[in-house]
Amino acid sequence: MDLRIEKTRRGILNAFLALRSQKPLEKITVRELAAAAQINKSTFYAHYQDIFALSDSIEEELVESIIQNLSDPSSILTHPATFTRELALACIAQENLIRTIFSGNQAAHLPLRLELGIKKLVFAAYPNHQEDTTFQTFLSFCIYGAYYAFRQNYSTDLEAVLHTLGLLSEGAKDTFLASFASSQLVKDSK
């Protein structure tokens, strides 16, 4: 990539993060972002359609970096306690950026984006289960349940929270596998 383009994008990103740490996404204008980044509005529009497209791009990159820190996203089914721990620690590593990017009205975007990214990788490993409602529900429960339980409690005793989430995710796996096995028996008997 051209060094000037990279420098401009970095300037836009830094200006956006500074503004975003002070105000909601909806209140940031291209004009003030361009002034903060010391660029023309037309330069901004050469890179992004609007402020929301910029935010969307940053959200996507942040979630990709979190997911890349997971050793094996498909381990959500085989080793959910390990998966849950890795996901929590990957989020903690990005905590400052998460608090800035996913604050206010954007807060629900993080678990949604995590779910989409993780499911994409899991279904690459388990393509036959992509249309399985039970499997979809299990994945959503593990991702959203662990995420929200973690967010509500991690500031107290991190190790205790991670241990509890590991136990709960292992229990969910066992329940899912029992449910999956019985639904397969019903399908096979028809």
Side-chain angles (χ1 to χ4, degrees), residues 19-182:
L19 290 168
R20 186 70 178 90
S21 68
Q22 298 170 4
K23 56 175 42 179
L25 178 64
E26 311 76 51
K27 301 286 185 180
I28 299 173
T29 66
V30 172
R31 179 178 300 179
E32 72 182 322
L33 179 83
Q38 298 178 338
I39 60 171
N40 294 319
K41 283 176 32 178
S42 60
T43 302
F44 173 85
Y45 286 118
H47 294 277
Y48 302 98
Q49 182 179 358
D50 56 25
I51 292 292
F52 297 99
L54 169 59
S55 181
D56 188 58
S57 172
I58 294 168
E59 286 180 12
E60 189 174 308
E61 287 177 26
L62 178 55
V63 169
E64 280 181 30
S65 75
I66 290 169
I67 291 173
Q68 286 175 354
N69 281 310
L70 303 174
S71 61
D72 178 15
S74 66
S75 70
I76 192 171
L77 183 60
T78 56
H79 301 93
T82 301
F83 169 84
T84 301
R85 174 178 281 280
E86 286 182 359
L87 182 59
L89 294 175
C91 286
I92 289 171
Q94 299 285 349
E95 182 64 26
N96 289 335
L97 200 50
I98 288 172
R99 282 181 199 239
T100 301
I101 299 301
F102 293 103
S103 64
N105 291 338
Q106 306 305 110
H109 287 203
L110 180 57
L112 175 64
R113 285 185 175 276
L114 284 170
E115 180 187 34
L116 293 173
I118 292 167
K119 280 185 172 181
K120 181 179 177 182
L121 294 173
V122 168
F123 290 132
Y126 300 100
N128 294 342
H129 297 298
Q130 194 162 355
E131 301 301 321
D132 184 332
T133 301
T134 304
F135 192 67
Q136 289 270 1
T137 304
F138 167 74
L139 291 176
S140 293
F141 175 80
C142 287
I143 295 165
Y144 279 92
Y147 173 79
Y148 283 111
F150 172 75
R151 297 300 302 165
Q152 285 296 115
N153 298 289
Y154 86 97
S155 63
T156 54
D157 180 353
L158 179 62
E159 277 307 311
V161 171
L162 291 175
H163 177 73
T164 303
L165 290 174
L167 292 173
L168 291 170
S169 60
E170 289 291 338
K173 176 192 82 168
D174 294 342
T175 301
F176 163 71
L177 290 175
S179 171
F180 183 73
S182 71

